[in-house]
Every structure is written in C-alpha cells, then in structure tokens.
Amino acid sequence: RLAAHRALVLVGLWGQTPDNLLLLQRCVESLHILHENAVQFGLATLLEIWQSRIRPVFQSLMFGFGIADELSQEVFSSLIEDREWLSEFTIHARTVLGMILECTSGHPIQDIPDEELFGEKSDMWPPLRECPILSSLVSKLRPVKLSSVKLHHIVAFTFEMTHDIDSIASAVPSFTRLFSAGSLFSEMPPIPKESIEQRRLIDQAIVERANKSSSNPVIDNFDCIKDVDLVGKAFGLDPKYTKTRYLIEIIRLGRDASINDLLGGSSAILMKSFLIEELVKILCARLNNIISSLKRTKQYRGVISRLDAEASNWVKDQAERITSQNDDYTPASLITTHSLIVRLQSMTENDTFSDQINSLCLISEMLLKAVREQEQQRVLDV
C-alpha cells in the first residue's frame, strides 16, 4: 500500500514537471512492487496511472493534440518532439502496459478482505486504517480486455522500436481505436498475420538495431532483437525471419567478422535459403565494386580480362539491380568478402545456390591471388 501511494504521488509530481522523467522512472519502480504482489489495489493503481497520466500522452502522440483534453499542448508538444525524452517515456509506458498485461493474463489477482487488515483480528501495530484513495480506485476498477491490452502493448513496443506512426497504422488495422479513455475495456479484433506492412515494420526495426549494434567488436547472441522477435511473433512472422534478417543487415554493414561465430552456430534457427539469396546479392555488389576499383589500376587489368565473362556479367547485373533498388551496403575488403564466400560455400554444398557461390568463389580467389602477388612484388622491389 505504501508502494501504491508512492507511485501515485510520484506520477502526480511528474504530471507537474513532465520533462523530469526520473519521477516517472521512480513511479514505475514502485509499480513493480505492486505487480510482484498481484493485489487488486495494485491493478487499480496501474490502471489509474495509465488512464490518467500515460494514456493521454500516447493519444496525443498518435492522433494529435486536441483529442486528449488532459494535456497542455504548450508543455507537451516540445517534449514529444524531443527524441531522447520520447524514447525514455515510451519505455516506461510500455513497461506499465506490460505489467497490466501480466496482471490480467497471469495469476489471479488477490482480493485481500478488509477485515484481515483493519479488523480486530489483525495483529499489525500500529493498526492499519482503510485508505479512501485506494478503496476508491478499487471501487472504480473495471475488467480490462486481454485482447485490447495485448494490442496496446504491441503498438507501444513497435513505436519504441521504430517511431514510425504511419507504418504502425498500416500494420494494425484497428489502430484508430486505441489509446482512448475506454479502449482498454473494449474487445479488439485479432491482428491480421504476415502482412506486407507488418514485415516492412519489422525490417525497419531490425535495420535500426543492426545499426546500433554494428559497432560491437563481437556479436555472439540475438539479445538486442528479443523485443523485435516478440512483435514479429505477434504479427505471425516465423521466428527464424527476424534472426536471419538481423544477420543480413550486419553483413550489409560490412561487419562480417563480428558475427563469425554466431553465423556458424545458428544455422538451425535461420531461414537458410533467404539468408543465402540476400547474401549473394551483397557479395555481388561487393565484388563488382572491387572489380571496378581494380580496373582503374593498370597492373590488374590483365587479371580482370581473364575473369569468366558470363560470371562477371552476372555479378555486374546483380550489383546494378541492388543499386536500382536503393539497397545500401557498406563496401568490404576483398579478404573479408572472400571469407564470407568460403563460409557460404560450406553451407550450400549440393544446394541450389552452390553454382552461384562457386562462381563467386572462383572470381574472388583469382582476384585475391592477383592482389597478393602484386603485394609480394612490391616487397621484392623494395
């Protein structure tokens, strides 16, 4: 009960100074205590804080000011435009929704009889008095709909990952019914599965996570996309898709070495055909860039002319296709590119992609041999 009061006081103070998210953070920490004890007044407190303080911000964020009369546009408009503030606020909001979700879908809420706390049989000292504030919240408690809480949670999660409201609206048909005063208490239709918009939204989130994690020297797990994986499952996507897409994006960024062990040990949980198909495109773009660069150096023109013409033209066509689709990729060294080709060669033995990979391997081997010979000649000349 003290935790409930502390949460209510802190969220009230945050409402007066909404730029101070430390107050909201401390409020959420107190709510965790209520959540762990799974008491009725705990759920009532969670709903009160969501309904009165957090929900109006989300409603204004998603649909514009004027809908949520509780908010001052003058105060919150600048905060919503602050990416750092918005990201932190969204994390706290999603956490509160997560606790409501667990309270409504997990263990039954305990309803502790008042006489056990306030009656003569209670052995607590000093004796507790009934709290009119918490009693009022419990008396107003309405049953929330699990389908609605889940949908709100998914949307909050997705917004946290992408900050793309238009894409979320396209991926969730019932989007316009969310974040109103009564939306948690109304049934929501199930989300359509595996739509193009949903896949595009997941791709967008994965690209963002890949960009953030690409600076890590070693990436040996998929922890940074756990939440993306959860939303992907809610959209009906194969769990293998998010992991495969993540590895593709890391390689697109030229960070092959950071996932060397992860790529080798994850084959059972990846979409192999999709992985290889996308990596072949990236490898063609890399090799075409390397060939174009070497052509500008007189010493390598003879080697370039000896490459298999059919294979070279195919590599060029694939690379140009990537360029026309605006698929960005980071150029990588010839050694890095050849290492990836050799890795794929071991994955595609007697596979439908084996001929393509073998052709790429022959090109990279010939180029690598020529470059090494040239380097050795330079050393001898010195």
Side-chain angles (χ1 to χ4, degrees), residues 84-244:
E84 186 176 345
W85 183 93
L86 187 58
S87 295
E88 188 176 346
F89 167 78
T90 305
I91 290 171
H92 297 318
R94 189 255 302 163
T95 303
V96 172
L97 274 173
M99 287 189 276
I100 296 174
L101 179 60
E102 290 185 22
C103 284
T104 53
S105 61
H107 300 293
I109 300 296
Q110 300 174 29
D111 185 8
I112 303 175
D114 288 347
E115 56 269 17
E116 289 188 17
L117 294 174
F118 311 120
E120 296 178 358
K121 295 181 180 180
S122 174
D123 57 359
M124 299 187 70
W125 182 261
L128 289 177
R129 295 182 180 275
E130 184 175 0
C131 172
I133 296 175
L134 296 183
S135 296
S136 174
L137 292 182
V138 171
S139 68
K140 294 188 299 181
L141 188 59
R142 298 162 58 190
V144 296
K145 301 299 182 182
L146 186 58
S147 62
S148 183
V149 182
K150 284 182 177 179
L151 190 56
H152 280 80
H153 192 238
I154 289 169
V155 169
F157 236 142
T158 310
F159 180 77
E160 181 186 339
M161 294 186 302
T162 65
H163 286 227
D164 189 337
I165 297 173
D166 291 338
S167 295
I168 296 171
S170 298
V172 181
S174 51
F175 176 75
T176 55
R177 295 174 56 187
L178 301 179
F179 303 106
S180 66
S183 58
L184 279 189
F185 312 102
S186 304
E187 288 286 359
M188 292 290 171
I191 305 176
K193 302 298 184 182
E194 293 192 79
S195 70
I196 295 173
E197 292 81 9
Q198 290 166 350
R199 189 177 291 270
R200 189 180 298 128
L201 200 59
I202 292 298
D203 287 347
Q204 186 179 338
I206 291 171
V207 168
E208 186 175 335
R209 295 302 166 88
N211 283 322
K212 286 181 179 179
S213 60
S214 64
S215 58
N216 298 338
V218 177
I219 303 172
D220 55 7
N221 57 59
F222 293 102
D223 287 352
C224 72
I225 58 165
K226 276 185 176 179
D227 51 354
V228 184
D229 212 9
L230 287 172
V231 176
K233 288 177 182 177
F235 287 158
L237 296 177
D238 188 331
K240 292 182 178 181
Y241 177 79
T242 52
K243 296 177 179 64
T244 306

Side-chain angles (χ1 to χ4, degrees), residues 280-352:
V280 164
K281 295 176 186 177
I282 295 172
L283 288 169
C284 286
R286 287 184 183 180
L287 283 176
N288 187 61
N289 185 63
I290 291 168
I291 291 170
S292 298
S293 178
L294 291 177
K295 274 182 179 179
R296 293 192 288 269
T297 306
K298 184 178 180 180
Q299 298 92 316
Y300 297 115
R301 288 173 188 164
V303 177
I304 301 300
S305 66
R306 293 196 300 272
L307 294 176
D308 182 84
E310 185 177 348
S312 297
N313 288 332
W314 173 73
V315 166
K316 184 180 179 181
D317 289 343
Q318 292 295 312
E320 289 176 349
R321 191 173 301 173
I322 289 177
T323 305
S324 66
Q325 293 172 351
N326 295 319
D327 286 343
D328 294 330
Y329 74 97
T330 302
S333 70
L334 179 56
I335 293 175
T336 299
T337 300
H338 181 67
S339 297
L340 180 58
I341 292 172
V342 171
R343 168 62 66 88
L344 290 187
Q345 202 171 30
S346 66
M347 295 173 63
T348 58
E349 193 172 354
N350 299 321
D351 197 290
T352 53

Side-chain angles (χ1 to χ4, degrees), residues 54-72:
I54 297 176
R55 180 198 58 77
V57 180
F58 249 105
Q59 188 178 35
S60 297
L61 172 65
M62 299 294 174
F63 307 112
F65 289 96
I67 298 176
D69 298 330
E70 305 96 320
L71 288 188
S72 165

